[in-house]
Amino acid sequence: MELNIFNTGTKFTEAKELVKEVYLMDERPWVVGFSGGKDSTAVVQLVFQALQELDASQLHKKVYVISSDTQVETPLIIDKITRTLGRIQKKALELGLPFETQKVRPKVDQTFWSSIIGKGYPTPRQKFRWCTDRLKIEPANRFILDKVDQFGEVIMLLGVRDSESATRAAVMQSHTIEGKKLMRHSTLRNAFVFAPIRTFDVDDVWEFLLQYESPWGDDNNELLELYQSSNSECPLIVDKEVKESAGSCGNSRFGCWTCTVVSEDKALSGFINNGIDWLRPLYDFRSFLVQIREDHSKRQKQRMNGEVYLLPYNDEPEEEQVIIAKADIKQYLDSNNINLATVEDLNILVEDEDGSLKRFGVGPFTLKAREEILRQLLRTQKQIRELHDPNVELITVEELKAIRKYWHDDLQWEDRLPLVVEEETGETYNWDHNDRPVFKEDQLTDLETLCQEEGANLSVLKQLISVEKDYSGVKVRRGLFQAFDKTLKQDFLHL
């Protein structure tokens, strides 16, 4: 006989009845965040079970189950999530339940690879976790806002619990409306949050999952096995305040395989230790991403906007290091033809007005480093295809095209990306025609020589040519001189 814990008078019964009550109280559609972890699985099961017990005439509004596909999820986990979403959808159709499942993804020009290899973003770290916003929060919020536009308001269901941490509980309490069952969303107007398992502790979650069979046929014992060598899950995050309390997902089986926020990648190492050896190239590549981020020779010595900043230097100067006065920086760079966007080893220390020594801060990856990362990624993809699945795609053609555009925008006019892809994979694609100014190598050499002879900055000249190209053929060229002015006011020109 099947054990139905909802007949035992426990908090599961109360949670299920609460779900029914909130579902029936208005016409606002629900959006359920599903990560494949224990908490979000419990929420979807709870909602599924509650709606099964309602009369068909009461099933008056949609329940959207969305899962975030960052496109760098651990392969085994994203495959599991994809299968589960399909099973939920199939079972809901069989039972006539108003569920609709969907994966949300970042825009192609904002993916992990487009950001790192294309724009040169340094790989994420604890104090610069740009990945969560771009890969998780923004895609989920786009979906929610689309439903807000369509329905006026939506209710977001999340598997968050007060007992997860004091910080998480405080964030949830700050958005709780006294006497109400819903919380305010911290950033999205007309979006509210419902946390049906808010009062559960971790034992409650596992008791529910292991005693009550998955309505769509998953085996929750397999889910438990995933947790046996992992101490956290990676929730679908739609709130920037919740993001800060959630921490990184690098210690979780449900995180991104590329996570460089944590010191050790337990997500992949756990699978590898359990005998899934074909994941080892991903583990090695992730280590490479950490190493190249810390290699200052691979980073520009200015920020993306051309801003230069100096950091304290607390060590003893080395013999090969040159010490110059802060007021002499520009003259030294010009006289030595140093381009802060491309120079690798900048053995310069700057003496500040107070006599203290400073070093140049670093910015995005250089174009040369971005090409190195791309080559290594394509080689890793080739290894995974040989070891496991010939159809594995670590980076998409659409991302490669976005990266190509970013490289053009960063003044790599040689258009090297198609050549890099062909050299590493042997494949050629139907690359879109790009009408940005592309110079042949001998023309670039001539331009560089001319700049040296005339004392002009090659990087700035290329930027000015690109600005002019952007406005060519436009009848009203409003903004052209402002764009010129912005280019000419970059920090490194006025040091």
Side-chain angles (χ1 to χ4, degrees):
M1 187 176 85
E2 183 183 81
L3 175 63
N4 190 333
I5 60 175
F6 290 117
N7 294 329
T8 64
T10 66
K11 66 170 59 178
F12 305 129
T13 301
E14 296 174 0
K16 182 186 63 170
E17 293 303 319
L18 178 61
V19 168
K20 291 181 185 178
E21 180 185 347
V22 176
Y23 180 83
L24 293 172
M25 73 183 186
D26 56 47
E27 302 295 322
R28 292 176 290 188
W30 283 8
V31 179
V32 186
F34 178 69
S35 70
K38 65 183 188 306
D39 293 328
S40 63
T41 300
V43 170
V44 179
Q45 280 198 202
L46 191 62
V47 173
F48 207 99
Q49 176 70 25
L51 267 57
Q52 272 186 282
E53 296 186 4
L54 294 178
D55 187 86
S57 63
Q58 295 176 298
L59 302 174
H60 61 290
K61 63 185 184 184
K62 280 276 192 182
V63 177
Y64 299 96
V65 180
I66 66 170
S67 184
S68 177
D69 181 2
T70 63
Q71 298 186 271
V72 283
E73 302 289 329
T74 303
L76 294 175
I77 296 301
I78 196 61
D79 289 345
K80 179 183 184 302
I81 290 173
T82 301
R83 289 194 303 270
T84 297
L85 290 176
R87 289 169 182 167
I88 293 171
Q89 186 70 77
K90 182 179 179 181
K91 193 64 177 179
L93 287 172
E94 289 177 8
L95 299 176
L97 299 179
F99 281 78
E100 184 175 313
T101 62
Q102 184 170 329
K103 285 196 286 189
V104 294
R105 300 177 177 87
K107 294 180 178 178
V108 68
D109 60 351
Q110 293 186 338
T111 66
F112 190 79
W113 301 127
S114 294
S115 299
I116 290 178
I117 302 175
K119 298 190 74 172
Y121 274 40
T123 53
R125 59 196 317 156
Q126 189 61 46
K127 293 184 178 179
F128 187 37
R129 274 170 52 201
W130 55 263
C131 49
T132 306
D133 287 350
R134 281 179 162 243
L135 307 185
K136 291 192 172 184
I137 294 178
E138 292 175 13
N141 285 356
R142 276 201 312 273
F143 182 91
I144 295 168
L145 289 174
D146 177 67
K147 300 310 172 188
V148 169
D149 289 343
Q150 187 176 349
F151 297 102
E153 291 183 344
V154 300
I155 297 175
M156 186 79 198
L157 276 71
L158 298 177
V160 290
R161 298 179 288 108
D162 285 334
S163 63
E164 288 180 86
S165 70
T167 304
R168 173 68 62 85
V171 169
M172 292 170 65
Q173 185 59 41
S174 69
H175 295 297
T176 299
I177 306 170
E178 188 175 354
K180 302 292 184 181
K181 298 176 177 64
L182 304 180
M183 294 175 283
R184 293 182 296 267
H185 194 285
S186 68
T187 57
L188 298 180
R189 294 182 61 185
N190 298 332
F192 298 86
V193 175
F194 176 36
I197 63 168
R198 180 174 179 173
T199 62
F200 285 26
D201 59 28
V202 67
D203 289 337
D204 293 328
V205 173
W206 283 119
E207 182 182 349
F208 172 53
L209 291 174
L210 297 179
Q211 290 191 28
Y212 195 80
E213 187 176 322
S214 168
W216 49 84
D218 273 0
D219 184 352
N220 288 333
N221 287 288
E222 292 182 0
L223 182 61
L224 177 62
E225 290 176 10
L226 286 174
Y227 276 87
Q228 288 179 335
S229 59
S230 176
N231 57 16
S232 65
E233 69 178 286
C234 194
L236 186 144
I237 302 174
V238 295
D239 187 309
K240 294 191 179 185
E241 291 190 28
V242 171
K243 160 194 167 184
E244 299 307 321
S245 67
S248 164
C249 296
N251 287 326
S252 165
R253 290 290 184 88
F254 299 89
C256 300
W257 68 268
T258 56
C259 185
T260 55
V261 175
V262 293
S263 57
E264 180 187 356
D265 185 348
K266 295 181 181 178
L268 285 176
S269 61
F271 286 120
I272 294 170
N273 291 338
N274 286 336
I276 307 177
D277 291 330
W278 63 265
L279 290 173
R280 190 169 296 280
L282 299 186
Y283 184 89
D284 293 339
F285 183 82
R286 180 262 174 195
S287 300
F288 162 75
L289 287 179
V290 175
Q291 294 166 2
I292 198 170
R293 179 187 67 197
E294 303 306 320
D295 185 348
H296 288 189
S297 71
K298 310 293 186 180
R299 306 272 294 275
Q300 296 183 19
K301 310 308 182 288
Q302 60 185 27
R303 291 193 169 109
M304 287 185 178
N305 61 1
E307 179 185 351
V308 174
Y309 67 104
L310 301 174
L311 296 173
Y313 184 82
N314 300 317
D315 299 326
E316 286 294 321
E318 299 177 4
E319 287 186 13
E320 64 270 18
Q321 289 178 311
V322 178
I323 299 176
I324 59 175
K326 187 175 182 180
D328 298 332
I329 294 177
K330 178 172 170 48
Q331 180 182 349
Y332 184 88
L333 296 178
D334 288 345
S335 61
N336 288 275
N337 195 32
I338 295 174
N339 183 348
L340 295 178
T342 59
V343 64
E344 294 185 357
D345 297 316
L346 189 62
N347 290 320
I348 298 175
L349 295 179
V350 177
E351 186 175 3
D352 214 338
E353 290 87 348
D354 61 2
S356 63
L357 292 179
K358 302 288 182 66
R359 63 179 176 85
F360 279 83
V362 293
F365 286 119
T366 64
L367 278 164
K368 183 178 179 181
R370 290 178 233 176
E371 180 176 320
E372 181 181 350
I373 295 170
L374 176 59
R375 287 185 182 276
Q376 193 64 36
L377 177 62
L378 293 173
R379 291 168 189 168
T380 301
Q381 178 175 269
K382 183 179 180 181
Q383 286 180 285
I384 296 296
R385 287 178 173 178
E386 292 172 349
L387 291 171
H388 174 61
D389 181 353
N391 297 313
V392 164
E393 197 171 51
L394 299 184
I395 184 170
T396 67
V397 175
E398 290 73 25
E399 287 177 295
L400 290 170
K401 291 180 178 180
I403 291 167
R404 181 179 179 230
K405 183 181 183 304
Y406 279 133
W407 286 9
H408 278 278
D409 291 344
D410 275 359
L411 311 176
Q412 195 206 62
W413 291 347
E414 302 93 331
D415 195 24
R416 286 187 52 79
L417 188 136
L419 176 64
V420 170
V421 173
E422 185 175 358
E423 287 179 348
E424 296 298 337
T425 68
E427 299 176 6
T428 57
Y429 297 100
N430 182 23
W431 301 102
D432 297 332
H433 173 69
N434 193 308
D435 63 356
R436 296 194 64 79
V438 179
F439 282 59
K440 296 180 179 179
E441 288 191 14
D442 59 334
Q443 293 173 316
L444 283 171
T445 302
D446 291 342
L447 188 62
E448 185 176 7
T449 301
L450 184 61
C451 286
Q452 288 179 339
E453 291 175 353
E454 299 297 330
N457 187 291
L458 176 64
S459 177
V460 173
L461 181 60
K462 291 170 74 174
Q463 289 180 58
L464 292 172
I465 293 172
S466 291
V467 169
E468 170 62 30
K469 184 71 175 179
D470 285 338
Y471 283 87
S472 64
V474 179
K475 186 175 293 186
V476 179
R477 307 216 297 171
R478 187 178 295 110
L480 173 63
F481 291 107
Q482 289 88 335
F484 281 154
D485 193 48
K486 181 179 178 181
T487 300
L488 293 171
K489 284 185 175 179
Q490 294 178 84
D491 270 14
F492 71 90
L493 295 174
H494 304 281
L495 290 169

